Each structure stands twice: as C-alpha cells, then as structure tokens.
Amino acid sequence: MNKKKKIIGVAAVLAVCLAIAIPVGRGKFNFDDKFKIAGNLKANSSKNDAENNESGDANNIDGNIGSDSSKDSVSDGKNQDSNSPNGNNDSGSNSKNNGTDQDNVGNQNNVGGNSNSGNQNTGGVSGDGSITDFDNTGETIKDNYEVNDADIKIQHINSYSGIFIEDGSDVEVDNVAAIQVKNTSKKALEFAQIQIYNGDKKLVFDVSSLPANSSAIIMEKNKAPLDKSKSITYGGTTGGYTNKLEKDATIKYQKVDNNGIKVTNKSNKNIPCVRIFYKYKSSEGYYIGGITYTAKINNLKAGASQTIYPSHFDSDGGEIMMIKTYTTAQ
C-alpha cells in the first residue's frame, strides 16, 4: 500500500472510532457531534474494510509495513536522525530521500503550571514516558471536557484499531486508546502531554505543534488499550505554548507531486542543516496523530534547491508546521 493510502486509511478508521463516520464519496468522512464516550463504537477490521471500500479508500494493510529500512527513527522530545537526505542540489533530477526522523516537537522543560499536584520528574521521563506523574483527580471525562491546568479541551475518547502512527512504526494495533484534543488557546501549542486514568491504569498522550483553535486525534503513546468497563478520569496536563510556530524566512518551500517537498535556500550563505516539521491534516480539518514528523537536509548551498520525499508526507494532506535552520549539522 502506498504512503498516501496508508495515512488516509488511518484517518478513516480514526473517524470511525472517535465519531460516527459517514462516507460521503472520495474518501471523505464527517464527524457526528452526538458521539458519546460511553458508546461502544470500536470498529473491527471487517467494518473498517467495508466502510473504507465504500468510500474509495480501502484500508487493506500490506505485509511491507515495518520492513522499510528508511522508516522513521523514534525520538521523544529531541531530534534523532537515521537516514538524512543527501546534500545534492535540485537540478531537475530529484533523488527520493525517505530519511525522515520523527520528533515530538517542543521543549519539555518549558511547561506551564499545573493545578494537580503531580510529582515532577526532573531527571528525565519515567518508564511510561511521563514527564510529570500526575495523581488521578477522579474527575470523570465527558465529551468536550475542559481541563483546568492547560488551554485544551478533550473532545472525545474511544478505542482505535489499525495502523499505529505515534512512533512512526506503522505497526497494526487493536483497541488502543485514542483521544481528540482541541487547543483552545490563542497561541500555538508547542508540546503537551495529557494523562488520563482508565481505572487505575494511566494513559499517556503526547501532542506537538498544534495551532491555536485546532484539533488533533492522538493515540496512547504506549499502545495501551481502553477498557470501557472501567472509569475514565483526568490526571493532568503538562504543556507549553508559543506565539508562533517558526518558519525561517531564508527558506522557501513548496509541496510537489509524488509526496515531495521542494526546499530552497534563499540566502547567500550555505546552511549546514534544515529541518522541515510536518503533520497530516484530514479533509475535515483535524490533524491525525499528536506526532510531528521531521525531515532533514544537510548542507543546503546558497541559492540551491533540493526536493525530498519524506516517508510519512502526503502532497494532499501534508501540512508544513515549521522550518528551522541550524548553524551546525544536526
């Protein structure tokens, strides 16, 4: 299955899980705002296939997932590069560089205050990826639940079966907890970690680079399942905001055919490293995944262009969130 159908398939299945998906032709899905957390809307594989085939986007997962040697490497709050694009200038013949590295963007030390008295981890994250170990508040999460320690709203929560995208692995999962979150701030959400309790079990959700007044559907970072027979209550949120998601003025970019991004150095100096941060946005206007992927270009010469083909980028739904340049190779 090609990359475009993979991400569209994920979007379709998430729509089924977090709301009532309504096929309206050409693979587009709409939300039903009457969805309730208590509703058992977990989609099984046969239902997913039937609905996606009806809409024109079959979610038939081929056996090649996870076998691509250029698959994204995983990082948690910092950059990690495995297969970087080459430094050749774009002179008409573009090489396909799939060297993307996944990055949950944001300085996790730049966080807002939290009303819940969680235990702050100052020496790194815990085994489940928690930045702060929040206690269970006991507050039941309902649809459109507004948290009191960050400018976010938890719009929906349910379970998800399909391709797991939060770590770039694209492995198949079953019954993983997923939430739809809205940034209600007037600023961009640089990074946030949301903790929810399902009974006594803590669920952890990371999201980054989420513009003001926009929503994202996020899968639990440890692939933990959702048990609807147990309570769903709030823990806490660690979050940081920024006035603007950075796009370096020395870089020009444009999406091109075949899921590529053409990057041009407009300055008169060589740039040792350029990072392109991107997400996938559904036709309904919400982002798929809390994850923000990055692609890297090394040694972009003054005035030169290079076209890259990141492994999780789509020409139609891909959205460039940030462009950053660095004075040293990263």
Side-chain angles (χ1 to χ4, degrees):
M1 179 184 295
N2 62 36
K3 291 177 292 183
K4 181 176 178 180
K5 285 193 175 181
K6 264 195 230 177
I7 195 70
I8 290 175
V10 171
V13 178
L14 281 167
V16 172
C17 293
L18 291 173
I20 298 174
I22 305 173
V24 293
R26 296 187 178 240
K28 294 183 179 179
F29 287 75
N30 293 329
F31 275 132
D32 182 341
D33 291 332
K34 295 181 180 179
F35 167 78
K36 299 299 179 185
I37 292 173
N40 186 3
L41 296 176
K42 177 179 174 293
N44 59 38
S45 59
S46 60
K47 180 178 179 182
N48 294 341
D49 289 342
E51 291 185 341
N52 292 331
N53 282 325
E54 181 180 354
S55 69
D57 289 309
N59 190 25
N60 297 317
I61 311 304
D62 62 25
N64 295 324
I65 293 174
S67 62
D68 182 358
S69 61
S70 63
K71 193 63 65 180
D72 305 330
S73 61
V74 179
S75 171
D76 216 350
K78 61 183 180 179
N79 298 320
Q80 175 181 345
D81 306 306
S82 55
N83 301 307
S84 60
N86 61 37
N88 296 333
N89 294 339
D90 178 13
S91 59
S93 59
N94 302 320
S95 60
K96 291 222 169 189
N97 299 305
N98 292 320
T100 309
D101 53 280
Q102 175 249 323
D103 180 24
N104 278 332
V105 181
N107 182 352
Q108 296 180 351
N109 294 319
N110 179 22
V111 297
N114 299 288
S115 61
N116 183 19
S117 56
N119 299 317
Q120 183 71 40
N121 288 315
T122 57
V125 296
S126 61
D128 64 2
S130 297
I131 301 169
T132 303
D133 286 323
F134 287 106
D135 300 323
N136 189 345
T137 65
E139 295 181 7
T140 300
I141 296 177
K142 300 178 180 179
D143 278 0
N144 296 314
Y145 175 83
E146 295 192 24
V147 309
N148 60 10
D149 52 1
D151 292 326
I152 65 166
K153 180 189 292 184
I154 300 173
Q155 296 173 296
H156 306 298
I157 181 169
N158 212 322
S159 54
Y160 162 80
S161 296
I163 296 174
F164 187 80
I165 65 171
E166 297 294 352
D167 60 1
S169 64
D170 294 347
V171 299
E172 282 203 69
V173 293
D174 183 60
N175 196 40
V176 167
I179 59 174
Q180 182 178 346
V181 170
K182 183 174 183 178
N183 175 12
T184 58
S185 171
K186 293 181 180 179
K187 296 182 178 182
L189 182 62
E190 188 174 26
F191 177 85
Q193 183 174 96
I194 303 155
Q195 294 178 21
I196 293 171
Y197 282 83
N198 185 199
D200 294 331
K201 182 175 179 58
K202 181 171 63 177
L203 306 178
V204 182
F205 302 87
D206 288 349
V207 60
S208 61
S209 305
L210 187 61
N213 201 39
S214 61
S215 298
I217 293 177
I218 315 164
M219 304 172 197
E220 206 280 338
K221 70 179 301 176
N222 302 301
K223 307 181 183 71
L226 182 70
D227 186 345
K228 294 177 184 176
S229 69
K230 296 182 179 180
S231 61
I232 301 173
T233 51
Y234 184 62
T237 297
T238 304
Y241 296 81
T242 182
N243 288 324
K244 188 177 181 181
L245 295 174
E246 178 184 344
K247 290 184 179 177
D248 195 299
T250 63
I251 298 296
K252 177 183 177 181
Y253 66 92
Q254 64 182 99
K255 295 192 286 186
V256 297
D257 293 340
N258 299 318
N259 305 321
I261 308 170
K262 183 176 181 179
V263 181
T264 302
N265 179 1
K266 299 192 298 180
S267 75
N268 57 7
K269 296 181 180 180
N270 298 342
I271 300 177
C273 179
V274 180
R275 284 188 183 274
I276 301 94
F277 299 77
Y278 61 95
K279 298 175 83 73
Y280 179 83
K281 194 172 187 179
S282 75
S283 58
E284 288 77 30
Y286 55 88
Y287 293 94
I288 300 296
I291 188 174
T292 298
Y293 290 103
T294 73
K296 183 179 73 169
I297 297 175
N298 282 331
N299 192 27
L300 188 60
K301 303 293 186 183
S305 296
Q306 183 174 323
T307 300
I308 57 174
Y309 298 86
S311 62
H312 286 85
F313 187 76
D314 177 65
S315 297
D316 293 331
E319 184 170 314
I320 308 297
M321 310 306 296
M322 294 188 291
I323 303 281
K324 292 186 178 183
T325 59
Y326 302 85
T327 56
T328 60
Q330 298 286 315

